[in-house]
Amino acid sequence: LLDYRLVELMASVPPDFKLNKLTRKYIFKKAMKGIVPEKIIWRKKAGFGAPIRSWIVNDLKPLIDEVLSESSIKQRGLFEYSSIHKLLKDESSGKEYNSNHIWQLLTLEMWFRTFIDGK
């Protein structure tokens, strides 16, 4: 779907063919009729979830240990370390799913380091 010739062709198609009332990708859905099952073509939009938990417990674990360490949290002064520690401990033990909270804390601290601290 990213072939430049297809992109160029679609750029020349009038908007009325691309959008029918509130149906997006209308011409594409019509073109796929008979190729893709109807229930797939006309289903509601589905979101895509990133594998945040996998990142947190595997690839990003060393970064999280450093960025959300007691010294880093206390130095920033925004949160109580005991709360962060509980989130991390409950996530690693499997007691609770805190991956999204940990991800948000990680990205917040990285934002501060980049745009406020200039690191």
Side-chain angles (χ1 to χ4, degrees):
L1 294 176
L2 294 178
D3 185 280
Y4 74 93
R5 294 167 291 218
L6 181 59
V7 173
E8 289 172 352
L9 172 66
M10 291 311 298
S12 69
V13 173
D16 293 347
F17 288 109
K18 296 179 200 176
L19 183 69
N20 184 316
K21 296 180 184 165
L22 295 177
T23 304
R24 293 174 171 225
K25 302 180 185 175
Y26 183 72
I27 194 170
F28 180 66
K29 290 178 181 195
K30 287 297 205 178
M32 292 295 104
K33 188 174 182 170
I35 299 169
V36 175
E38 292 282 320
K39 67 181 184 178
I40 301 287
I41 293 174
W42 300 105
R43 71 180 174 191
K44 288 185 178 182
K45 186 174 179 178
F48 170 76
I52 294 173
R53 183 160 204 289
S54 176
W55 295 339
I56 286 173
V57 299
N58 295 308
D59 299 341
L60 296 178
K61 180 82 170 99
L63 180 64
I64 289 167
D65 290 344
E66 186 270 315
V67 170
L68 300 181
S69 68
E70 185 172 5
S71 61
S72 292
I73 296 300
K74 286 183 176 182
Q75 183 178 3
R76 181 68 58 206
L78 296 175
F79 302 103
E80 292 290 329
Y81 177 72
S82 59
S83 299
I84 305 295
H85 179 70
K86 182 175 180 350
L87 280 174
L88 295 168
K89 187 177 76 163
D90 290 349
E91 174 69 27
S92 67
S93 71
K95 182 178 178 182
E96 289 185 28
Y97 177 84
N98 293 322
S99 296
N100 290 340
H101 295 302
I102 295 167
W103 176 257
Q104 291 166 347
L105 289 165
L106 175 66
T107 56
L108 176 64
E109 179 58 24
M110 297 306 290
W111 182 88
F112 266 103
R113 290 181 180 194
T114 302
F115 297 105
I116 302 302
D117 302 342
K119 294 181 182 176

